[in-house]
Amino acid sequence: MTGPEQTRRTIETVCRIESAKLIAGLTRFVRDVGFAEELAQDAFVAALEQWPGSGVPDNPAAWLMTAAKRRAIDRMRRDARLDRKYSELEGGKPAVQGTRDDALDAVLEAIDADRDDRRIDDDLLRLIFIACHPILSAEARVALTLRLLGGLTTDEIARAYLVPETTVAQRIVRAKRTLTAARVPFEIPSADDRRVRVASVLEVIYLIFNEGYAATAGDEWMRPALCEEALRLGRTLAALVRDDSEVYGLVALMELQASRIRARTTANGDPVTLLDQDRASWDHLLIGRGLAALESAKRLDAPLGSYALQASIAACHARATEAPATDWVQIVALYDALAELVPSPIVDLNRAIAIGMAYGPQAALEIVEGLAGEPSMRSYHLVHSARGDLLFKLGRAAEARTAFERAAALTRNARERALLLGRAHVSPN
């Protein structure tokens, strides 16, 4: 690799690592996340222009922040001059404009004088709360979070979610406009508001992780890069918010599920179900991290929330060295608690699958048959897949085949469709 190529690769790495911190720090000054992102991009462009000749500075983050602040000062002073000229043309009062200039100068002096790196964590936490604000739709929160905190381009986000790049760009633009119009403050929420806002943040991070762990559409079973981004965001949040058990619960859940990623596909990329996975290939470092995060959640002495309960279920799988050793009775009990805490047909379906493993397929089939008849579940491919599996175990091959074919017709993921069609044509022993 040549010198310029190495420098460019270094710049790209630095930009990805420092992007969120830079945008967060700038937003504290300019109070506009869109403007802050523009300033950060200008700083990265300056780095691309200057570093190949001057070399990468000893403190790249500080260099980028200084460049962005200078750009902010120039831009704000230029805008102030334009405002003054427009005001004069329209017969504005100089005294009022002078007051505006004085206020602007105070802001600019604060930008230029700021040297306090200890605010970085607070700034980053504020940015997380802004990007995941409940005022935005779930799709907009995901896109904005990946853009601002993950450093992904609109093209990368679009490819990850298999939507047009213009759609992602529009979501991000609308999200920024919505935040500006609502005058969402750049602050850590008060104690009363924080619980709701943390829940929104966790939801966004888990949505990102789930899309990576089980892609809803396309030709690939998983998108590990999204899992990695979600894990990074979760770990960052856990380092900033140390008093919320659900933050640790989500991190634990993602670590434990991510530990299976290598075993979830064959060398050709075909899906491998949980019970058929080679557990020796599970990542035991991630398992250890997940179990430690789960213990951190429990040490806070608060009732376990939905993420911590799901992490506890994942821990049951992680502790079983082979599939037959899985404590399915304990998993059923955990799903009972989860269903009571957050009732939903999806939880009921997973609980039914666990019941089938613990107490036999007939007991589970009665529950799944009921779920399959609910309007909200008729188009959910996994309920038909679960029904097919239970019917197969009961020796009802023709019915199982129909259920698997129905599930295959409903999924938008090509790899999953192939798996389900393959199961549809397997005869019971």
Side-chain angles (χ1 to χ4, degrees), residues 19-20 22-44 64-65 67-80 83 104 107-108 111 127 130 144 147-148 172-173 175-181 186:
S19 177
L22 184 57
I23 294 171
L26 292 167
T27 303
R28 171 158 47 93
F29 295 116
V30 301
R31 301 289 164 171
D32 183 324
V33 71
F35 183 29
E37 185 188 10
E38 181 183 332
L39 293 170
Q41 290 172 347
D42 287 345
F44 294 142
L64 290 167
M65 180 61 81
K69 287 179 180 177
R70 287 173 178 166
R71 172 66 175 161
I73 291 171
D74 292 342
R75 170 78 172 270
M76 294 175 77
R77 283 180 174 154
R78 184 196 68 187
D79 290 347
D83 284 347
L104 176 60
V107 173
L108 297 179
I111 293 175
L127 183 62
I130 282 184
L144 192 60
R147 183 75 189 92
L148 298 182
I172 293 173
V173 169
K176 293 174 185 175
R177 288 175 179 169
T178 299
L179 293 171
T180 300
F186 185 65

Side-chain angles (χ1 to χ4, degrees), residues 112-238:
D112 200 33
D114 182 74
R115 298 289 185 274
D116 188 0
D117 292 335
R118 292 172 299 177
R119 292 177 177 163
I120 289 176
D121 284 354
D122 282 349
D123 287 344
L124 192 55
L125 186 57
R126 291 184 181 101
L127 183 62
I128 290 173
F129 280 118
I130 282 184
C132 301
H133 198 287
I135 198 173
L136 304 174
S137 68
E139 294 83 2
R141 278 180 278 159
V142 166
L144 192 60
T145 298
L146 286 173
R147 183 75 189 92
L148 298 182
L149 294 160
L152 274 66
T153 64
T154 53
D155 176 61
E156 288 172 325
I157 299 169
R159 282 190 282 110
Y161 283 87
L162 301 180
V163 295
E165 185 177 355
T166 53
T167 300
V168 173
Q170 289 169 359
R171 286 175 183 171
I172 293 173
V173 169
R174 283 197 297 266
K176 293 174 185 175
R177 288 175 179 169
T178 299
L179 293 171
T180 300
R183 296 185 178 182
V184 173
F186 185 65
E187 64 183 15
I188 297 173
S190 64
D192 292 339
D193 189 35
R194 181 165 161 175
R195 182 166 206 161
V196 174
R197 296 281 293 278
V198 167
S200 176
V201 172
L202 297 178
E203 177 190 6
V204 169
I205 293 174
Y206 198 40
L207 281 171
I208 295 169
F209 182 87
N210 271 340
E211 184 58 32
Y213 193 71
T216 55
D219 297 327
E220 298 301 324
W221 175 237
M222 295 182 298
R223 300 192 181 98
L226 283 179
C227 292
E228 291 172 8
E229 279 301 321
L231 267 171
R232 187 178 64 80
L233 290 169
R235 291 165 183 163
T236 298
L237 186 64

Side-chain angles (χ1 to χ4, degrees), residues 7 72 172 328-329 341:
T7 300
I172 293 173
W328 287 105
V329 173
L341 183 64

Side-chain angles (χ1 to χ4, degrees), residues 288-306:
R289 293 179 65 120
L291 294 176
L294 183 57
E295 287 305 309
S296 294
K298 293 177 178 178
R299 276 198 300 269
L300 288 175
D301 197 27
L304 293 184
S306 64

Side-chain angles (χ1 to χ4, degrees), residues 19 50 67 88 99 104 155 184 195 227 312 339 383-384 394 400 419 427 429:
S19 177
Q50 298 181 37
E88 290 171 355
T99 303
L104 176 60
D155 176 61
V184 173
R195 182 166 206 161
C227 292
S312 298
V383 73
H384 299 285
L394 290 168
L419 173 69
S427 300
N429 294 331

